[in-house]
Amino acid sequence: MASENVKALTDADFGESVKKGVVLVDFWATWCAPCRRIAPIVDQLADEYSGRATVAKVDIDANPMTPSKFMVRGIPTLLLFKDGELKETVVGLANKDDLAKMIDKHL
Amino acid sequence: MSERPVIIIGSGPAGLTAALYAARANLTPLVIEGIEAGGQLMLTTMVENWPGYRDGIMGPDLMTELRAQAARFGAEIIQGDVSSVDLSKRPFTVTMGQTQYLAQTVIVATGASAKWLDLGVDKKLSGRGVSTCATCDGFFFKGRPVAVIGGGDTAMEEAIYLSKLATSVTVVHRRDSLRASKVMQDKAMSMPNVSFIWNTEVVDIKDLDKGVVTSLVLKNTQTGVSSELAVDGVFIGIGHVPNTALFKGQLALHDNGYLKTHEGSRTSVAGVFAAGDVQDHIYRQAVTAAGSGCMAAIDAERFLSGTLHQAAAAHV
């Protein structure tokens, strides 16, 4: 089950949504097998960091502008924003501990 | 901390087949999936050489079935990545983050992962135009020119898949003939927008300053002449490296990095067995991985019941 704490972002509200605080964004698509592997980790992070950091997703099929703007040319890609500024880029698979450490660094 | 009869590390065809057999032998196996859960087949499209599917089956679907089949007989499959193992004494210790598991036997089925070019720049531009997975990243190159590096089945599959999306696919291969199976070669060569550059190596990928791929710098291995190929994407299909980092210094490896096995699936440590691509640098097929997973489970079962030695002796 997808976590309710993961916010689905769109091209329309992306800029506004990453403006404040620490926001981890998972770029994904339904047809991307590795994305399905990282999804449960993203869900767990969303639950564990609820209230401290925002965890969000962008479906790249429905929202092509945002990945293009950030030059995302492979998925899964995770971008971490702090107060609107891009701080970290993780391409491909990653384990939960490393991602948690990365979020902690910016909190 | 409870002790398990069998812990299986890895969840590709080898790991899950081992889990299926171990579960059916009532060994309640614990499978730790690993970061690349499902293995290499998760990154493929149609698998046409898995016996029993005359029209082929999608790689991810096959792995979903295999996982469910192992789970049906009681295999416990957990997400996560093993961080370290201690194989110096039994029970063996398998550590995953903060969690430790004890096991009487371990089946290593950690597989192999895509090999990179060793240029440094290829990893830096990963997700910025460099990819090892056409089915994951091909989407971003609709209507753009791309290159595929390599001459084996992986490279051909990538070229065929990309030919449906990209304007052109240029296969760059360092030899003058392909190692790929005839079926895959013919398929790739029949695509009107797939072309080949032979005897050529990639020496650089541009443009690190811009942070995206703009071209490849190539060098002909015969003439030494350099050239540049403008592409937006480059897909690397030059083979795989076995995932043996966890076992260095604990299990014997071949010079090429693959795990050494003998008398079936036995490794250099009694009670530790290996299956699939992590120990197979010759066949590397889904079906041979599955077959060796079955062998490892049977070997582990016999080891546990103390009959491994008798069984081996009976065959001498």
Side-chain angles (χ1 to χ4, degrees):
Chain A
M1 271 298 282
S3 165
E4 287 171 8
N5 291 319
V6 180
K7 213 169 144 190
L9 302 184
T10 65
D11 282 344
D13 65 12
F14 189 88
E16 200 56 40
S17 303
V18 300
K19 253 186 189 162
K20 269 197 185 148
V22 173
V23 187
L24 182 73
V25 189
D26 172 23
F27 289 82
W28 71 289
T30 49
W31 41 262
C32 160
C35 297
R36 288 197 288 274
R37 293 175 185 162
I38 209 162
I41 296 174
V42 170
D43 286 346
Q44 287 166 25
L45 290 169
D47 292 341
E48 286 167 28
Y49 284 88
S50 173
R52 292 187 288 154
T54 304
V55 175
K57 283 186 159 211
V58 172
D59 178 347
I60 63 157
D61 281 320
N63 304 284
M65 307 279 281
T66 308
S68 162
K69 184 177 169 192
F70 292 99
M71 295 194 294
V72 171
R73 285 197 190 171
I75 49 172
T77 287
L78 299 175
L79 301 183
L80 185 141
F81 294 86
K82 186 173 186 181
D83 297 331
E85 200 181 321
L86 178 63
K87 294 284 191 187
E88 307 272 357
T89 303
V90 180
V91 175
L93 297 169
N95 71 44
K96 194 182 147 197
D97 290 349
D98 292 343
L99 292 174
K101 269 181 215 149
M102 187 181 83
I103 298 173
D104 290 341
K105 207 169 91 187
H106 295 283
L107 282 178
Chain B
M1 199 164 27
S2 69
E3 197 174 310
R4 294 272 184 160
V6 185
I7 289 182
I8 298 164
I9 308 174
S11 58
L16 290 178
T17 304
L20 171 65
Y21 274 78
R24 286 172 58 87
N26 284 331
L27 297 178
T28 59
L30 175 71
V31 180
I32 302 175
E33 282 192 327
I35 199 164
E36 296 183 50
Q40 292 170 46
L41 283 186
M42 295 299 287
L43 306 180
T44 61
T45 52
M46 194 59 86
V47 179
E48 293 183 316
N49 55 10
W50 182 270
Y53 289 91
R54 69 166 88 174
D55 298 320
I57 178 169
M58 295 300 279
D61 293 344
L62 176 59
M63 295 321 296
T64 304
E65 284 299 312
L66 200 39
R67 192 180 191 280
Q69 191 179 4
R72 180 184 152 212
F73 292 103
E76 187 187 345
I77 305 169
I78 57 170
Q79 287 176 347
D81 205 26
V82 172
S83 32
S84 67
V85 294
D86 182 356
L87 306 176
S88 62
K89 57 180 188 304
R90 288 179 65 208
F92 306 118
T93 310
V94 177
T95 306
M96 196 178 90
Q98 312 293 330
T99 317
Q100 283 197 331
Y101 299 95
L102 295 177
Q104 287 158 20
T105 65
V106 169
I107 295 175
V108 177
T110 48
S113 297
K115 199 190 256 180
W116 292 76
L117 283 173
D118 234 5
L119 293 174
V121 65
D122 52 340
K123 281 215 165 154
K124 285 183 192 145
L125 288 173
S126 160
R128 301 276 195 229
V130 180
S131 173
T132 56
C133 175
T135 56
C136 313
D137 303 335
F139 170 87
F140 296 96
F141 302 93
K142 269 182 203 156
R144 295 157 175 256
V146 301
V148 170
I149 317 300
D153 277 345
T154 306
M156 290 313 104
E157 191 186 341
E158 299 207 313
I160 294 160
Y161 181 83
L162 290 164
S163 69
K164 291 159 195 159
L165 297 164
T167 48
S168 66
V169 179
T170 309
V171 178
V172 180
H173 188 39
R174 62 194 167 123
R175 303 185 199 287
D176 61 2
S177 62
L178 299 170
R179 201 182 57 243
S181 62
K182 195 75 177 65
V183 178
M184 298 295 276
Q185 288 192 28
D186 291 348
K187 221 172 177 179
M189 286 178 173
S190 71
M191 298 292 174
N193 59 341
V194 175
S195 59
F196 292 79
I197 298 181
W198 304 104
N199 296 317
T200 298
E201 284 180 345
V202 179
V203 290
D204 196 13
I205 302 172
K206 289 181 174 174
D207 184 321
L208 201 53
D209 291 339
K210 286 187 186 148
V212 287
V213 171
T214 57
S215 68
L216 302 181
V217 180
L218 305 176
K219 189 177 168 190
N220 187 300
T221 56
Q222 312 281 304
T223 62
V225 173
S226 293
S227 61
E228 203 165 325
L229 176 72
V231 287
D232 289 343
V234 51
F235 291 80
I236 303 171
I238 55 169
H240 293 85
V241 280
N243 297 319
T244 51
L246 282 173
F247 313 103
K248 287 218 168 93
Q250 302 195 66
L251 296 177
L253 306 178
H254 288 286
D255 289 341
N256 59 11
Y258 285 79
L259 277 185
K260 272 189 183 168
T261 51
H262 64 284
E263 293 165 80
S265 67
R266 291 195 242 184
T267 68
S268 56
V269 172
V272 179
F273 305 90
D277 282 11
V278 72
Q279 52 85 53
D280 173 14
H281 54 99
I282 301 169
Y283 305 105
R284 296 177 297 186
Q285 302 301 302
V287 64
T288 52
S292 68
C294 162
M295 289 161 60
I298 292 173
D299 288 346
E301 184 194 356
R302 289 187 180 158
F303 179 87
L304 286 167
S305 60
T307 60
L308 185 71
H309 299 288
Q310 288 99 305
H315 281 94
V316 172

